[in-house]
Amino acid sequence: MDSSSNINKALTETRFSDLEPPLSDDIIEVLERSGFEFCTPVQAATIPKLCSRKDVAVDAATGSGKTLAFLLPLVEILRISTSYPPKSHQVMGVIISPTRELSTQIYNVAQPFVSTLPNVNSVLLVGGRGKVEADMETIEKKGGNLLIGTPGRLLDIMERMEILNFRDLEILMLDEADRLLGTEFQKQVNDILSRLPKQRRTGLFSATQTEGVEELAKAGLRNPVRVVVRAESKSESSQQLTNSKTPSGLHLEYLECEADKKSSQLVDLLIENKNKKLMVFFMTRASVDYWKLVLSQIPTLKSMSLIRIHGKMKQNARDRALSSFSEASSGVLLCTDIAARGLDIPGIDCIVQYDPPKDPDDFIHRVGRTARLGRQGRAIVFLLPKEEDYVEFMDQREVPLQERKCSENASDVIPIMRSAAMKDRAVLEKGLKAFVSFVRAYKEHKCFDIFRWRELEIGKLGMGYGLLYLPSMSEVRQHRLSTEGFTPVEGVNFEDIKFKDKSREKQRQQKLEKARKEKQQKEKSEKGKKSSEMVVDACATTESYKVSRKRKLSGKQRARNRKLTGKQRQSIQKAEDEEEMAREYRLERKRRKGLIKEEDEPDA
């Protein structure tokens, strides 16, 4: 595999119009209209190779312009294809990315360039925007020559629509290839690849190439070129220029503090940047929901716009959140790693990682949402004292971190958070859920030798979450995690805390009433069952007495029989036999006359 390596500046001195093989005039015109004249390093290194019909595996810093690096060659390859112009259901190109938001962004960026190709129709295929049948109907009516989407929806379409013809596919692009080839999407991507012709151009793009990507490059790419673009980073301690996987304009910091101080430090940081645009990353969806709710209760943050986004939200809500945050000049986006990859949101000043990501590769993607295309930006990751080895670990991965001191002026917000939980059950319940979800996600951290969940100080962590009491968790009970530092709230019946939302409180009261009735019914049923059992026991005692009495009478009868002479016993037996014969004779006569059926006869 060939190798090409560059040191990233904001832009190179290479113009798009100077690239060889040359880009078409239509493409150059669209670029000039959009304000693009000079290439970024990854664009200058990648576009000529793809246009020269070479497969590429691109490893470049986030925010370096990878989207245009694969879109422009893709459009040019389709333009000069022997099958151009294609038939309506002839698929010429496929672009796959791991998230709906990223696929949508790629689709929108592609439209001005694809529009320079007459009779070529591009289709966005992602879930959450409607049923798959709607996409199928669109393709049937308008065709689909370029498919852009997520693995799940794309594979679904391929399996359902035999009308699509992939035999003349020219090019396949995998954006965020490391994630696409990870365990989450590996099966779907492999199924897609098995349906595509091997004679094609393939591009793999990511900021963090993995062994999986390497294996695919060896197995599926022909004469591949490896393009590695590293950013230039200056160490404050040595003032030496070093290679980094993060953008050159990004200043990376870590803030080390105890778990019960994190929330106060976060609020202080948000106040400090109240007129700026920030993204705050959490490890779980429940954490995003909780911190959105509880931070809105902090008086000093009332004027700030707090927006949340995570994968459990409906797609329309996710779209609105991204659109609102993108258009805002300031505010905070509280998010999970669904917003970590590829999204190009303008004007982000600072990235805050309240929880370090479970996968260290996602660290690079998270911080890459700022300092894009040569701009300046800042990123801060919160670490507990026992997690300090993470700094050296990231330094070995070419991601140097500088220490940031805790603010001594940060106000204690825990009393405010607890007061909010006392006034609104939603805060109480979401806090408990977020706490539990964080602990269980922490257990799954890939850097388990640094993030040791058995050493979590649950007490301090619970205080940092503003909990009124610690939830009963198996992790706490069985492994005896430290609850030191937690001060439970005394003299409060937590069941009396109501939802501020009256409709939710009404629903809760209805559920409680239903539960009370079911409990009463169960107790009544159990009481009736117990009474029945007592009656049965009494009956059983009575029957036992009768049987015992009968046995006694039989014993007396046998005693009397023993006193009879042999002649007397014969007379008694003869009388019984004659009576039996007479009874059978009467039955036989009735049977012959049809007065009784055999099944009506009494048992002998």
Side-chain angles (χ1 to χ4, degrees):
M1 181 181 288
D2 296 333
S3 180
S4 177
S5 184
N6 294 280
I7 300 298
N8 183 33
K9 298 176 183 177
L11 297 170
T12 65
E13 296 180 359
T14 304
R15 288 181 170 86
F16 285 104
S17 56
D18 296 333
L19 293 174
E20 290 293 339
L23 298 174
S24 65
D25 291 341
D26 289 339
I27 291 295
I28 296 299
E29 184 180 340
V30 174
L31 286 168
E32 289 177 351
R33 259 197 330 261
S34 304
F36 296 112
E37 181 181 1
F38 292 93
C39 301
T40 65
V42 68
Q43 292 163 357
T46 304
I47 292 174
K49 292 179 174 59
L50 275 172
C51 288
S52 299
R53 302 271 179 171
K54 294 184 180 295
D55 291 348
V56 298
V58 179
D59 181 358
T62 57
S64 58
K66 291 192 294 293
T67 302
L68 284 184
F70 65 73
L71 275 178
L72 301 187
L74 181 145
V75 172
E76 295 295 50
I77 287 173
L78 297 191
R79 191 189 306 278
I80 62 176
S81 169
T82 56
S83 301
Y84 181 79
K87 296 178 181 178
S88 61
H89 297 108
Q90 183 179 348
V91 181
M92 305 287 288
V94 173
I95 302 174
I96 311 175
S97 76
T99 69
R100 300 169 184 175
E101 286 75 17
L102 182 52
S103 290
T104 303
Q105 179 177 285
I106 293 170
Y107 176 81
N108 291 332
V109 173
Q111 292 319 292
F113 302 101
V114 175
S115 66
T116 66
L117 300 173
N119 303 317
V120 171
N121 184 49
S122 58
V123 182
L124 176 63
L125 300 174
V126 297
R129 301 178 189 275
K131 295 182 179 179
V132 67
E133 288 78 10
D135 290 336
M136 294 171 64
E137 184 178 349
T138 298
I139 293 173
E140 284 181 5
K141 290 181 178 179
K142 299 181 179 181
N145 309 119
L146 173 59
L147 307 182
I148 303 172
T150 50
R153 180 56 64 93
L154 179 59
L155 181 59
D156 200 2
I157 289 291
M158 294 175 77
E159 290 175 341
R160 289 172 180 245
M161 298 197 71
E162 295 183 1
I163 193 174
L164 287 175
N165 177 8
F166 291 89
R167 287 193 297 273
D168 296 316
L169 182 82
E170 289 282 350
I171 188 164
L172 167 69
M173 295 295 176
L174 300 182
D175 195 19
E176 304 297 344
D178 60 319
R179 187 176 174 194
L180 288 174
L181 297 168
T183 55
E184 183 179 359
F185 296 109
Q186 190 173 42
K187 185 180 185 306
Q188 292 173 325
V189 171
N190 286 340
D191 286 346
I192 291 171
L193 295 179
S194 69
R195 297 168 183 268
L196 302 179
K198 293 183 179 180
Q199 299 296 317
R200 64 170 190 265
R201 297 276 64 77
T202 303
L204 309 180
F205 290 77
S206 184
T208 49
Q209 298 284 359
T210 64
E211 292 179 3
V213 175
E214 293 286 353
E215 290 303 314
L216 184 70
K218 293 175 184 176
L221 280 68
R222 297 174 299 161
N223 301 318
V225 177
R226 178 73 182 270
V227 179
V228 181
V229 179
R230 286 287 177 264
E232 191 178 75
S233 176
K234 181 179 288 187
S235 169
E236 289 189 359
S237 58
S238 64
Q239 296 297 309
Q240 295 295 315
L241 293 178
T242 59
N243 284 347
S244 173
K245 289 185 177 181
T246 55
S248 57
L250 178 61
H251 181 62
L252 286 167
E253 299 176 305
Y254 72 94
L255 189 150
E256 184 181 308
C257 67
E258 295 286 356
D260 56 348
K261 305 297 181 185
K262 282 180 66 175
S263 50
S264 296
Q265 290 294 321
L266 174 63
V267 171
D268 184 76
L269 186 61
L270 296 181
I271 294 171
E272 179 187 324
N273 295 275
K274 63 182 179 180
N275 296 320
K276 295 181 179 179
K277 208 166 179 178
L278 299 90
M279 292 178 72
V280 183
F281 283 92
F282 298 93
M283 204 181 293
T284 70
R285 297 185 294 255
S287 292
V288 170
D289 288 338
Y290 172 62
W291 289 104
K292 163 66 169 68
L293 181 60
V294 76
L295 289 175
S296 65
Q297 309 293 315
I298 309 293
T300 51
L301 300 181
K302 287 288 185 182
S303 62
M304 293 193 73
S305 172
L306 300 173
I307 302 171
R308 70 186 176 104
I309 184 171
H310 59 66
K312 200 73 172 178
M313 295 167 58
K314 292 183 178 180
Q315 190 60 46
N316 288 340
R318 286 158 60 171
D319 292 342
R320 286 196 302 271
L322 276 181
S323 176
S324 177
F325 185 65
S326 296
E327 294 170 2
S329 59
S330 64
V332 182
L333 183 67
L334 308 168
C335 53
T336 59
D337 284 327
I338 193 174
R341 289 177 175 260
L343 295 184
D344 190 10
I345 302 172
I348 296 178
D349 301 290
C350 183
I351 301 296
V352 179
Q353 301 188 68
Y354 192 76
D355 303 327
K358 289 193 292 185
D359 186 339
D361 284 345
D362 287 333
F363 185 102
I364 295 170
H365 294 284
R366 284 178 171 187
V367 301
R369 297 315 98 213
T370 188
R372 298 177 69 80
L373 292 176
R375 300 182 182 90
Q376 298 296 308
R378 193 156 51 104
I380 301 165
V381 58
F382 282 69
L383 296 174
L384 301 177
K386 293 182 180 180
E387 299 167 351
E388 60 182 6
D389 289 345
Y390 193 64
V391 177
E392 183 179 351
F393 171 77
M394 293 307 295
D395 189 58
Q396 292 174 355
R397 294 170 67 93
E398 301 177 11
V399 183
L401 302 173
Q402 304 298 323
E403 184 177 8
R404 176 189 177 92
K405 298 294 184 182
C406 287
S407 172
E408 296 180 358
N409 299 321
S411 300
D412 185 7
V413 298
I414 292 175
I416 301 175
M417 295 167 66
R418 283 185 148 186
S419 176
M422 295 279 285
K423 295 175 183 176
D424 187 356
R425 190 169 195 85
V427 178
L428 171 65
E429 291 187 354
K430 285 182 183 294
L432 292 168
K433 187 175 180 180
F435 177 85
V436 172
S437 72
F438 170 79
V439 173
R440 289 179 176 164
Y442 198 92
K443 290 172 63 177
E444 300 172 0
H445 209 293
K446 288 191 176 182
C447 298
F448 53 84
D449 54 336
I450 297 174
F451 298 89
R452 299 179 289 272
W453 74 273
R454 292 176 187 271
E455 295 182 11
L456 273 176
E457 295 179 287
I458 295 294
K460 292 181 180 179
L461 186 67
M463 287 298 291
Y465 272 73
L467 302 186
L468 304 183
Y469 62 90
L470 290 177
S472 178
M473 299 173 60
S474 59
E475 288 81 1
V476 177
R477 294 193 309 271
Q478 296 174 10
H479 300 281
R480 300 176 183 173
L481 302 184
S482 173
T483 58
E484 184 180 347
F486 188 80
T487 306
V489 176
E490 302 290 349
V492 176
N493 184 351
F494 300 116
E495 287 301 317
D496 291 339
I497 298 177
K498 299 179 179 180
F499 284 107
K500 189 175 287 186
D501 185 325
K502 292 183 179 180
S503 62
R504 288 195 66 186
E505 180 59 25
K506 183 178 179 181
Q507 290 176 359
R508 185 177 83 95
Q509 291 300 333
Q510 288 173 346
K511 288 181 180 179
L512 289 174
E513 182 62 25
K514 183 179 178 181
R516 279 194 291 268
K517 288 181 178 179
E518 288 177 351
K519 184 179 179 181
Q520 290 173 357
Q521 186 65 31
K522 185 177 179 181
E523 290 175 350
K524 185 177 180 181
S525 176
E526 289 178 351
K527 187 175 181 181
K529 185 178 178 182
K530 189 173 182 181
S531 299
S532 299
E533 289 174 352
M534 292 175 66
V535 171
V536 169
D537 289 341
C539 292
T541 303
T542 304
E543 187 64 27
S544 176
Y545 172 76
K546 290 179 179 179
V547 171
S548 175
R549 180 67 179 164
K550 186 176 180 180
R551 285 175 179 168
K552 290 180 180 179
L553 291 174
S554 298
K556 292 180 179 179
Q557 186 66 39
R558 286 195 299 272
R560 283 196 297 269
N561 288 344
R562 281 196 296 271
K563 294 180 180 179
L564 298 174
T565 63
K567 191 174 182 178
Q568 288 173 327
R569 283 196 295 271
Q570 286 178 0
S571 297
I572 293 172
Q573 184 63 48
K574 184 179 179 180
E576 290 176 354
D577 292 343
E578 289 175 350
E579 176 60 30
E580 180 67 21
M581 289 177 67
R583 188 172 68 85
E584 290 180 358
Y585 175 72
R586 289 193 298 271
L587 285 173
E588 182 62 26
R589 288 185 64 185
K590 288 182 180 181
R591 190 184 304 112
R592 288 176 181 177
K593 292 180 180 180
L595 298 177
I596 63 171
K597 299 178 181 179
E598 289 188 11
E599 57 266 27
D600 295 330
E601 294 179 21
D603 291 336

